[in-house]
Amino acid sequence: MHGSLASNARLLDALKAGLKQHAEGVDCAVCAPFPYLAQVSAALSGSPIAWGAQDLSEHDAGAYTGEVSGAMLKEFGCRFAIVGHSERRSLYAEDDSRVAAKFVAAQRAGLTPILCVGETLEERERGETENVVGRQLDAVLAAAGAGAMANAAIAYEPVWAIGTGRNATAKQAQDVHAFIRARLAARDRGLAQRVTIVYGGSVKPGNAAELFAMPDIDGGLIGGASLVAEDFIAICAAARR
């Protein structure tokens, strides 16, 4: 929950200029808080930068005061919607079934869902990483079918590495990305090779190149570093290598 009209304008202007100069050709999107989607749409329209939302309702319409539907997001030109972010799961008690329903709702509205999966520090220390990530992924596959992943992205975000300054090593991240791809390959090998799987745990300019060099890491879901134009541009530039 960051941003203001003034700071957003400065950030978006810097991103448009910097990405054109240093990271042209890299697929890039900005997922903004709901109140700023009109500003983001106006600022990025006609640029190569796509945009999306940080969440959406699983409902298309109705008496759900305060909720925002996928159809509403589409009216602001959104291409993406994040679902299942660890903060939504932990702070707002969104379980696997609700995350799966939001994934389905996003696709129903013509959006590309970015499905977040990941384990807590306690779960990792107990050796439960694959069980947790597999369960979260399977809930979506059961609700949407494996074919739905053709129009989706998956973000592995170890909860213990978000906003803590800690990050998984490139090998730790790669191991989980490879597990996710293998899980999908058990259902559809061709689709598993095509699906985009990105890493989302304290990606910074200093570690982006090493992470993106891993065979199953296709990019990043950038958190705090996305609020600093120079850092975000440097991370995007690392994706070109």
Side-chain angles (χ1 to χ4, degrees), residues 62-187:
Y64 302 102
T65 300
E67 292 291 280
V68 176
S69 73
M72 294 174 181
L73 299 179
K74 283 291 287 184
E75 288 197 312
F76 286 91
C78 287
R79 178 179 167 191
F80 298 97
I82 299 173
V83 300
H85 191 280
S86 63
E87 290 162 2
R88 300 299 309 180
R89 293 179 188 264
S90 62
L91 298 178
Y92 300 99
E94 293 189 4
D95 60 15
D96 294 340
S97 62
R98 189 173 186 200
V99 172
K102 289 189 172 191
F103 182 100
V104 171
Q107 290 195 331
R108 193 165 56 237
L111 299 166
T112 298
I114 301 171
L115 170 65
C116 296
V117 297
E119 81 284 10
T120 65
L121 180 60
E122 293 77 12
E123 290 166 338
R124 170 166 279 273
E125 290 179 339
R126 290 198 300 264
E128 297 175 358
T129 295
E130 291 188 358
N131 288 339
V132 171
V133 171
R135 186 200 74 224
Q136 293 169 339
L137 181 60
D138 286 351
V140 174
L141 294 174
M149 290 298 165
N151 182 38
I154 300 170
Y156 168 55
E157 47 159 24
V159 180
W160 49 272
I162 300 172
T164 63
R166 300 179 59 176
N167 62 283
T169 65
K171 182 182 183 306
Q172 286 174 321
Q174 163 60 23
D175 287 347
V176 181
H177 280 239
F179 165 76
I180 293 170
R181 206 175 296 279
R183 192 86 165 196
L184 294 174
R187 298 180 181 236

